[in-house]
Amino acid sequence: MDARALRDITAIADPIERARAISRAMTEQQGLTEEAARIRRGAIAEAREAGHSLEEIAKVLGVSPGR
């Protein structure tokens, strides 16, 4: 969800419709987040198979090796 979509939802006058719209947007966003995490895990697994260490991958991604 981008800032414009969020502003559009915020502008909905009816509070129930606003809540309904944000719930739909959150559900959609969650689905995208789950798919993105799956793709990221696959890329990390592929990098590991190519010989990259967890420490090296973590450093490039800016996270701890455990993450």
Side-chain angles (χ1 to χ4, degrees):
M1 174 175 18
D2 62 13
R4 183 176 181 185
L6 192 55
R7 276 194 312 271
D8 290 347
I9 291 170
T10 303
I12 296 172
D14 183 284
I16 294 173
E17 286 304 315
R18 189 169 55 247
R20 188 191 243 163
I22 198 65
S23 291
R24 281 192 307 268
M26 290 169 63
T27 298
E28 181 180 312
Q29 189 69 34
Q30 182 62 35
L32 292 172
T33 299
E34 290 171 3
E35 180 64 12
R38 185 191 66 74
I39 293 168
R40 182 175 183 231
R41 284 191 304 273
I44 291 169
E46 187 178 335
R48 291 284 291 147
E49 290 170 5
H52 296 278
S53 70
L54 285 176
E55 290 77 16
E56 178 185 2
I57 296 167
K59 183 177 179 181
V60 171
L61 296 178
V63 298
S64 67
R67 181 73 178 129

